[in-house]
Amino acid sequence: MKTEFGQLSYCSNIHPGEDWKEHFSVLKTSIPEIKAVVSPTEPMGLGLRLANQASVDLSENENFEDFKNWLEANDIYVFTMNGFPYGNFHNVVVKDQVHAPDWTTKDRADYTIRMFELLAKLLPENLDEGGISTSPLSYRFWWDTPESLEKATKTATQNILLVLETLIDLFEKTGKTLHLDIEPEPDGILENSEEFIDWYKKYLLPMGIQHLAEKGYSTEEATLLIKKHITLCYDVCHFAVGFENPQDVIDNLDNEGLKVGKIQISSAVKVDFSENAEEKLRTIAQYNEPTYLHQVVAQQKDGSFQKFPDLTEAIAGFHENISEWRVHFHVPLFLENYGLLGSTQSDIVETIKVHKNKRFTQHLEIETYTWRVLPTEFQAPLNESIIREINWVKGLLNG
C-alpha cells in the first residue's frame, strides 16, 4: 500500500506452496481478509515470493492471466518479490539449503531472470520501479579455502551480470526500472554492508564495466547502469544480528553512490546475559527448532564478537565472557520482549527513523516467516498476526 515513505507490503514467503496452484490457493484465502482490515479503500501491495516451480507455473499464460485478473478484481498489486529461497521453504529442513542453488549456478540466474520477466508484466502502470531480493551469492561454509571462495565469488558475479543484461533490456522495452536487491545475511558470502560494498567495488563494478564494454557501453554508462539495477536489500533483522548501525550503513552506501532497493522490516531475538544467564539459556533453547538456520553473533564483555553457525553450536559454546546474543530468528515486530528474551525491535524503529529523515528506498516489506515454529505461547492465528504487524509498521511510519 502506498505511504508517504514508500510502498509497503508483507512478504508471501510466510505462506506455503512451492508450486503455483498451492501458493495461489493460500493467497486467495488470506490476502483479501488482510486487505479488508489494513487497506479497505486503497490498493494493497503484495511482496510476492515464488519458488522456482511456482515461477515456472506462473509463466504459463493461463495461470498468469488468472492471477492478473484476481489482482485487479481485489485491488491488489505486486511491486516487489522475494527470490531468495529457490525451493521448499515450509515443512522441510531448510537450513543452509536456503541458498541452493546459489549464484555460482546457471539455475539461480535463470530463475531470477524468469522472476523479473514476471515482475515487469505485473508491475502496475502507475509504478515505474520494482525489485527482487536474492541470496548474498552463496553460503560461506560451502567454500573451504580462500581460493575456492574467490572463484565462487567471481562465478556468482558473472551470473549476476547475466541478470543485469535482462534488466537493462527490460528498461529499454518497458521504461520500468527493475533492480536486483542483494540481501546480506550471517554466514553468506556477503554477511554485512561492509562486505557488500567491498564486493561491489572489487568484483561487481570492474567485472560489470568490462562485461558492458563488450556491448558498447562506456565506463561511465556501465557504472550508472550497474548502480541503477544492482542494489542492497536492507534486512533489518540481519543487520541487527551483525550489530550494524542503520545511519552508518546508509552513510557508507551514500559515500559510494550505492542504493538500497528494499527495506525488509524484520526483528531478531536478543539475549542480555548480564543476569539470569542459565535461565535465559534454557529459554532460548525453545527456539532451537530444526527448520531454519538461526545464526548467532555473540558480543563479549571486552566488546569483541564471536559467531556461531546455528543455535545448537551457540548454546554448546556459551561461556561467562559473553554479554549478549543476537539470534537470526525472525520474531513478530510488535513485541519488544519475549518473556526473559528481548528483540531487536529498536533497530526497526531506528532504521525507519533514518528512512523518514532521508528516504533511501521506495520499497518497504515486512518479513516474518517463522510464525509456525515460534514457541506456542507466541503463536496466534496467522492473518491476525500479519494484520497486527502491518498496522504496527503503519503506526511507526505515521508517528
Side-chain angles (χ1 to χ4, degrees), residues 58-289:
L58 188 55
S59 298
E60 296 177 8
N61 189 61
E62 184 177 350
N63 288 337
F64 183 84
E65 290 304 317
D66 284 348
F67 182 49
K68 194 85 181 279
N69 290 338
W70 178 81
L71 289 173
E72 291 174 3
N74 288 276
D75 208 15
I76 298 164
Y77 62 98
V78 175
F79 65 90
T80 186
M81 298 171 74
N82 187 332
F84 194 140
Y86 176 102
N88 288 348
F89 197 59
H90 294 275
N91 305 315
V92 295
V93 176
V94 179
K95 295 293 183 181
D96 60 336
Q97 293 303 303
V98 72
H99 294 274
D102 64 11
W103 274 104
T104 66
T105 69
K106 184 75 163 32
D107 284 346
R108 173 62 69 168
D110 290 345
Y111 160 63
T112 307
I113 289 170
R114 187 183 310 116
M115 295 265 282
F116 272 116
E117 290 171 343
L118 288 167
L119 181 58
K121 295 191 294 181
L122 288 170
L123 202 63
E125 289 185 8
N126 65 337
L127 291 182
D128 60 4
E129 181 186 342
I132 297 177
S133 50
T134 191
S135 160
L137 309 189
S138 182
Y139 186 60
R140 183 179 295 260
F141 296 132
W142 291 346
W143 314 98
D144 55 5
T145 65
E147 292 77 18
S148 64
L149 183 64
E150 171 87 359
K151 182 178 179 181
T153 302
K154 288 182 176 179
T155 303
T157 305
Q158 197 63 51
N159 282 327
I160 284 173
L161 294 176
L162 299 178
V163 178
L164 175 64
E165 286 184 42
T166 297
L167 302 184
I168 294 170
D169 184 57
L170 285 171
F171 177 75
E172 292 174 351
K173 289 178 178 177
T174 68
K176 305 285 189 181
T177 298
L178 303 178
H179 39 78
L180 181 65
D181 309 330
I182 310 293
E183 183 180 337
E185 78 162 35
D187 297 337
I189 284 183
L190 307 180
E191 291 195 271
N192 51 48
S193 62
E194 181 181 354
E195 292 186 354
F196 172 81
I197 291 171
D198 287 347
W199 165 74
Y200 216 106
K201 294 165 66 176
K202 183 178 178 182
Y203 296 97
L204 183 63
L205 281 175
M207 290 175 66
I209 289 167
Q210 181 180 354
H211 184 84
L212 292 179
E214 296 170 2
K215 302 182 183 303
Y217 292 96
S218 68
T219 296
E220 183 179 3
E221 290 170 332
T223 300
L224 289 173
L225 286 169
I226 294 164
K227 290 184 175 182
K228 174 181 179 179
H229 292 293
I230 310 296
T231 61
L232 176 79
C233 175
Y234 191 119
D235 187 299
V236 182
C237 166
H238 297 171
F239 284 25
V241 169
F243 288 82
E244 296 204 66
N245 177 275
Q247 187 67 65
D248 291 346
V249 172
I250 300 307
D251 288 345
N252 291 336
L253 291 170
D254 281 347
N255 289 339
E256 302 295 339
L258 305 182
K259 298 178 181 178
V260 174
K262 172 167 65 177
I263 303 173
Q264 278 186 330
I265 304 171
S266 51
S267 187
V269 173
K270 180 167 68 175
V271 191
D272 176 3
F273 286 108
S274 61
E275 56 183 10
N276 302 322
E278 290 187 9
E279 191 174 357
K280 288 175 179 176
L281 274 177
R282 289 193 293 271
T283 302
I284 192 63
Q286 299 174 57
Y287 291 75
N288 193 19
E289 57 82 34

Side-chain angles (χ1 to χ4, degrees), residues 37 86 124 224 298 302 328 357:
V37 178
Y86 176 102
L224 289 173
D302 63 2
H328 179 211
N357 185 51

